[in-house]
Amino acid sequence: MTSALQEYFDATIANEQRIEPRDWVPDGYRKTMVRQIAQHAHSEIIGMQPEGNWITRAPSLRRKAILLAKVQDEAGHGLYLYAAAETLGADRTELTENLIAGRQKYSSIFNYPTLTYADVGVIGWLVDGAAICNQVPLCRSSYGPYARAMIRICKEESFHQRQGYELLMTMMRGTQAQRDMVQEATNRWWWPALMMFGPPDADSTNTAQSMAWKIKRHTNDELRQRFVDMSVPQARALGVSLPDPQLRWNPEREHHDFGDIDWVEFKRVVSGHGPCNAERVAIRKAAHEEGAWVREAASAYAEKHAREEVMT
Ligand code: FAQ
């Protein structure tokens, strides 16, 4: 029986069709999908904090409205993704508890502080830019609910990227102090943005299997290179420099060469010892605890309606 199911699963993947929640999947596929979707969902929710930090201090009503919309979108992305994980049998409360207890990861990038308003622009430009680069291929991921969630998420990320770039363009047309803020923020976020794509291919434990299952369509290094190539002309148009003396066009490879990434720093941040890890998780834990009454009220309301439906 299992071998017939396995054959059907293999054929679905080979034929570029989608795996749906009703389909049998091997345990490893389910585990990998839940791991990736949960990490992604946690990243969106924790990712609300660095920029959320600036909502009350936005420099104008327009900037505040834009930032509020962006941060709310991130909450929405977290919700679509937790819902996608639920279609694989994961329990949302458990996923949140895993995050709070440090049993599941979220993206390294959200463990860095946002020190000035230019960080809001640079996060949009580089962090959302890297997210788009990584996630557009995931719209063709083999798991249907994840791939469909990703289509909407990417559309919204595209607005996020543009609002960031537009903010930076405005600042670059401003005073010297504003231009310096943009350059300083770019210097701080460039290398962490490159780390978002994950470890180098040689150290990536999951890539080979995830590519065989067509969950991932490109390796970490391929996407990182694409992002570097994309960002260089954007930096030039903006008038900022990227903090890498080894960054240069290589005509033979037809790609930019770039300097070594500090993988020791990456490991430190991923293992919970980055500049803001403790603060990010503590805020998430407090929000979860303070929201207990909302979850209880929502469950009581749903139960009441379920009872009423049975009676009518
Ligand atoms: N941070 O074998 P691989 C956003 C872990 S965008 C922390 O290469 P894989 C939008 C990895 O999980 C950010 N951990 O793993 C936004 C694995 O650990 P495990 C979120 C990392 O899965 C913008 C181990 O290292 N985007 O939120 C990182 O094949 C602005 C070995 O790595 C996604 O999650 C890292 N950077 O490839 C929101 C996209 N990199 O579980 C707010 C979907 C790797 O084996 C504001 N995910 N690790 O213990 C993916 O595409 C993949 O999961 C990768 C990693 C590419 C992130």
Side-chain angles (χ1 to χ4, degrees), residues 148-219:
R148 288 189 288 274
M150 214 51 67
I151 292 172
R152 175 148 177 191
I153 290 176
C154 284
K155 284 187 181 156
E156 292 174 350
E157 301 285 23
S158 169
F159 149 64
H160 297 174
Q161 202 268 355
R162 276 156 182 265
Q163 68 80 36
Y165 199 73
E166 190 265 349
L167 167 60
L168 297 180
M169 289 285 250
T170 306
M171 290 185 80
M172 291 304 284
R173 284 195 299 268
T175 62
Q176 187 57 44
Q178 286 175 312
R179 281 191 286 279
D180 292 346
M181 269 167 75
V182 175
Q183 183 62 62
E184 190 272 333
T186 305
N187 294 347
R188 277 185 290 110
W189 288 96
W190 173 249
W191 291 104
L194 295 190
M195 294 175 194
M196 286 175 71
F197 295 91
D201 291 351
D203 300 332
S204 169
T205 42
N206 301 298
T207 295
Q209 182 60 73
S210 288
M211 296 217 5
W213 278 328
K214 299 186 182 169
I215 294 169
K216 280 168 87 159
R217 297 291 181 151
H218 305 280
T219 72

Side-chain angles (χ1 to χ4, degrees), residues 35 39 74 105 108 134 157 195 198 204-206 216 220:
R35 178 188 66 81
Q39 284 178 5
E74 282 150 9
K105 297 188 169 86
S108 51
N134 168 256
E157 301 285 23
M195 294 175 194
S204 169
T205 42
N206 301 298
K216 280 168 87 159
N220 299 353

Side-chain angles (χ1 to χ4, degrees), residues 11 15 22 40-41 58 65 74 77 104 110 112-114 123 128 169 174 179-180 215 220 224 228 254 281 305:
N15 295 334
R22 62 172 185 267
H40 194 168
E74 282 150 9
H77 297 174
Q104 273 175 349
F110 302 116
Y112 292 87
T114 41
I123 289 178
D128 287 281
M169 289 285 250
R179 281 191 286 279
D180 292 346
I215 294 169
N220 299 353
R224 191 170 7 251
V228 170
E254 298 203 337
V281 174
H305 275 269

Side-chain angles (χ1 to χ4, degrees), residues 240-251:
V240 292
S241 58
L242 295 170
D244 178 358
Q246 285 166 269
L247 185 64
R248 66 179 59 87
W249 177 251
N250 180 331

Side-chain angles (χ1 to χ4, degrees), residues 11-278:
T12 308
I13 301 276
N15 295 334
E16 295 285 336
Q17 284 165 339
R18 292 273 156 79
I19 305 290
E20 294 298 340
R22 62 172 185 267
D23 295 334
W24 178 91
V25 295
D27 273 352
Y29 183 88
R30 186 181 303 280
K31 261 199 192 145
T32 296
M33 247 8 281
V34 170
R35 178 188 66 81
Q36 179 164 329
I37 298 175
Q39 284 178 5
H40 194 168
H42 299 329
S43 303
E44 297 282 356
I45 299 296
I46 295 273
M48 295 168 72
Q49 291 185 36
E51 292 160 285
N53 179 37
W54 282 95
I55 290 173
T56 54
R57 291 171 292 158
S60 67
L61 182 60
R62 177 169 175 266
R63 292 291 168 200
K64 186 171 180 140
I66 294 171
L67 187 56
L68 265 174
K70 179 184 193 284
V71 173
Q72 282 178 6
D73 281 353
E74 282 150 9
H77 297 174
L79 296 186
Y80 316 149
L81 290 165
Y82 284 126
E86 283 178 319
T87 67
L88 287 154
D91 179 283
R92 183 141 134 204
T93 308
E94 254 170 51
L95 297 181
T96 302
E97 283 164 3
N98 286 341
L99 166 69
I100 290 169
R103 286 189 294 270
Q104 273 175 349
K105 297 188 169 86
Y106 60 90
S107 181
S108 51
I109 193 75
F110 302 116
N111 293 305
Y112 292 87
T114 41
L115 305 180
T116 72
Y117 207 76
D119 288 35
V120 170
V122 173
I123 289 178
W125 171 37
L126 295 179
V127 176
D128 287 281
I132 294 170
C133 201
N134 168 256
Q135 288 167 31
V136 165
L138 294 174
C139 297
R140 292 186 294 116
S141 179
S142 57
Y143 189 57
Y146 187 50
R148 288 189 288 274
M150 214 51 67
I151 292 172
R152 175 148 177 191
I153 290 176
C154 284
K155 284 187 181 156
E156 292 174 350
E157 301 285 23
S158 169
F159 149 64
H160 297 174
Q161 202 268 355
R162 276 156 182 265
Q163 68 80 36
Y165 199 73
E166 190 265 349
L167 167 60
L168 297 180
M169 289 285 250
T170 306
M171 290 185 80
M172 291 304 284
R173 284 195 299 268
T175 62
Q176 187 57 44
Q178 286 175 312
R179 281 191 286 279
D180 292 346
M181 269 167 75
V182 175
Q183 183 62 62
E184 190 272 333
T186 305
N187 294 347
R188 277 185 290 110
W189 288 96
W190 173 249
W191 291 104
L194 295 190
M195 294 175 194
M196 286 175 71
F197 295 91
D201 291 351
D203 300 332
S204 169
T205 42
N206 301 298
T207 295
Q209 182 60 73
S210 288
M211 296 217 5
W213 278 328
K214 299 186 182 169
I215 294 169
K216 280 168 87 159
R217 297 291 181 151
H218 305 280
T219 72
N220 299 353
D221 286 333
E222 282 166 6
L223 293 172
R224 191 170 7 251
Q225 179 71 62
R226 189 179 288 184
F227 175 69
V228 170
D229 291 341
M230 202 173 93
S231 302
V232 169
Q234 292 172 351
R236 199 175 301 125
L238 207 51
V240 292
S241 58
L242 295 170
D244 178 358
Q246 285 166 269
L247 185 64
R248 66 179 59 87
W249 177 251
N250 180 331
E252 274 157 42
R253 289 201 311 123
E254 298 203 337
H255 287 294
H256 292 86
D257 291 337
F258 54 98
D260 293 333
I261 294 173
D262 184 349
W263 294 114
V264 175
E265 174 181 322
F266 173 75
K267 283 193 188 131
R268 193 169 55 238
V269 176
V270 173
S271 65
H273 303 98
C276 300
N277 296 59

